[in-house]
Amino acid sequence: MKYLLQSDDATKIVENLILPDSVQKANLTEAVNKIFTTDYDTLLNNLIEQALWIGLKIILAIVIYYVGKLVTNWIIRILDRSFDRRNVDLSLRNFLRSMVKVVMTILVILAAIQTLGVNTTSFLAIFASAGLAVGMALSGTLQNFAGGVILLLLRPYRIGDYISAQGQSGTVKAIGLFSTQLSTPDNRIIYVPNSAISSSIVDNYSQPTTRRVDWRVSISYGDDVDVARKEILAMLTEDKRVLNEPAEPMVVLSELADSAVILIVRAWVANQDYWTLYWEINERIYKELPKKGINFPYPQMDIHVKQN
């Protein structure tokens, strides 16, 4: 039965394809009559009208696009002036400018497409579906983007700050949408993902205006602690970079270690003078304390041997 049905169907298809001569002649006559009875003037006028209408819409779409670009540039210039008046951070300024430019460009393109008669709803649906698919595929990248937005809004650090985060230290050279660029003192470039750095502990060494410098000085047992304290305080007080606020310089006996007496030295300086003062006072302590009878002991161990 199955094969009979298939044979009948094939026969019907062949019969529909192979028409009788009378039917073919009638169809040919109808087609010829349409050709000779068509009003070509009306057809040509309609074609010209359609071409003019399409051309006008294309011109209007182009005008909308270029006017939209001018408006976008005008809005960005207004934002720049506003940022200058409010002293907005450079990294946040670049981020906001980029976002506004992207959004305005998309709106202008959609307006131009809609002028051509294209239904933009379908485009928006396609973009939304594509955005969802891309978002699922690039979830880690989107986390970095969200971290970049958080960093730019909260601003735990700025361009030019020296920070330490995620086991890396360096000067912030750029805060991108997906990573933060650090330049190390030996001129290496490190890129730290924003998602990691935005959720971790960040040490910002540049943000405070003042910092406390700490030294740990070991002197020998039997040396005069008061003399050592007096000499170290004299070095600090005569240095104009040392500040008396929030606290004056201090030298205290911190620990009686196995082979040395440990002195803790503290002084406050401006942030930019931290390392220069630290290195220079280190050198002065090493050179000047021995002249006052203060010695720096080597690690040592006393061994007592008992004989039977």
Side-chain angles (χ1 to χ4, degrees):
M1 186 66 180
K2 177 179 179 182
Y3 295 103
L4 290 175
L5 288 175
Q6 290 180 349
S7 178
D8 293 341
D9 293 339
T11 302
K12 290 179 181 181
I13 292 172
V14 172
E15 290 177 352
N16 290 330
L17 292 175
I18 304 175
L19 298 175
D21 291 342
S22 58
V23 176
Q24 294 181 12
K25 290 179 181 180
N27 291 339
L28 178 60
T29 302
E30 183 180 358
V32 172
N33 290 333
K34 286 183 178 180
I35 293 174
F36 286 101
T37 58
T38 300
D39 187 355
Y40 290 101
D41 292 336
T42 305
L43 179 61
L44 183 60
N45 290 332
N46 290 335
L47 290 175
I48 293 174
E49 290 178 0
Q50 292 295 328
L52 290 174
W53 176 243
I54 293 173
L56 287 174
K57 291 202 296 184
I58 292 174
I59 293 173
L60 182 60
I62 294 173
V63 170
I64 289 175
Y65 176 76
Y66 281 102
V67 171
K69 286 186 65 177
L70 293 175
V71 172
T72 301
N73 294 333
W74 176 68
I75 292 175
I76 290 177
R77 285 196 297 270
I78 292 176
L79 285 175
D80 287 337
R81 288 196 292 268
S82 177
F83 292 154
D84 291 336
R85 289 195 300 269
R86 298 174 182 271
N87 294 323
V88 177
D89 183 65
L90 179 61
S91 55
L92 180 59
R93 178 184 305 188
N94 292 335
F95 172 74
L96 293 177
R97 290 180 78 257
S98 300
M99 290 296 295
V100 170
K101 188 172 183 179
V102 169
V103 172
M104 291 296 297
T105 301
I106 292 175
L107 292 177
V108 169
I109 291 175
L110 290 176
I113 292 175
Q114 191 170 13
T115 304
L116 294 175
V118 179
N119 187 5
T120 55
T121 305
S122 58
F123 279 93
L124 293 176
I126 293 173
F127 289 151
S129 301
L132 180 61
V134 172
M136 294 178 65
L138 302 176
S139 58
T141 303
L142 291 179
Q143 289 178 359
N144 289 329
F145 175 79
V149 173
I150 293 173
L151 292 174
L152 291 170
L153 292 177
L154 299 181
R155 291 186 292 178
Y157 52 83
R158 301 182 180 183
I159 295 176
D161 288 353
Y162 189 89
I163 67 170
S164 177
Q166 290 292 304
Q168 304 295 336
S169 300
T171 302
V172 179
K173 290 298 182 182
I175 305 174
L177 295 179
F178 303 105
S179 64
T180 295
Q181 180 179 338
L182 302 180
S183 176
T184 63
D186 58 346
N187 203 27
R188 290 182 295 118
I189 301 298
I190 300 175
Y191 294 88
V192 184
N194 285 336
S195 60
I197 201 169
S198 64
S199 58
S200 65
I201 297 175
V202 177
D203 291 335
N204 191 327
Y205 298 97
S206 301
Q207 199 170 47
T209 57
T210 58
R211 286 184 64 185
R212 191 185 72 191
V213 188
D214 292 357
W215 292 268
R216 183 182 173 92
V217 181
S218 300
I219 63 175
S220 298
Y221 277 98
D223 290 347
D224 195 330
V225 174
D226 293 330
V227 172
R229 179 186 293 111
K230 179 181 177 181
E231 293 300 321
I232 295 174
L233 285 176
M235 298 178 195
L236 296 175
T237 53
E238 70 185 20
D239 196 311
K240 296 181 180 179
R241 293 169 296 182
V242 176
L243 306 175
N244 292 325
E245 294 293 339
E248 295 182 351
M250 60 177 292
V251 179
V252 296
L253 196 157
S254 172
E255 182 182 351
L256 300 176
D258 293 336
S259 58
V261 177
I262 309 301
L263 302 179
I264 294 296
V265 183
R266 292 176 177 175
W268 286 88
V269 297
N271 202 327
Q272 63 271 18
D273 295 329
Y274 180 91
W275 287 110
T276 54
L277 182 75
Y278 179 81
W279 292 325
E280 291 178 10
I281 295 298
N282 260 346
E283 186 174 351
R284 291 191 63 184
I285 289 175
Y286 177 75
K287 290 180 177 179
E288 297 181 16
L289 284 189
K291 298 177 182 179
K292 303 297 181 179
I294 306 299
N295 301 302
F296 306 112
Y298 295 101
Q300 61 185 8
M301 179 182 297
D302 293 334
I303 300 177
H304 303 275
V305 179
K306 293 183 177 181
Q307 297 181 352
N308 294 331

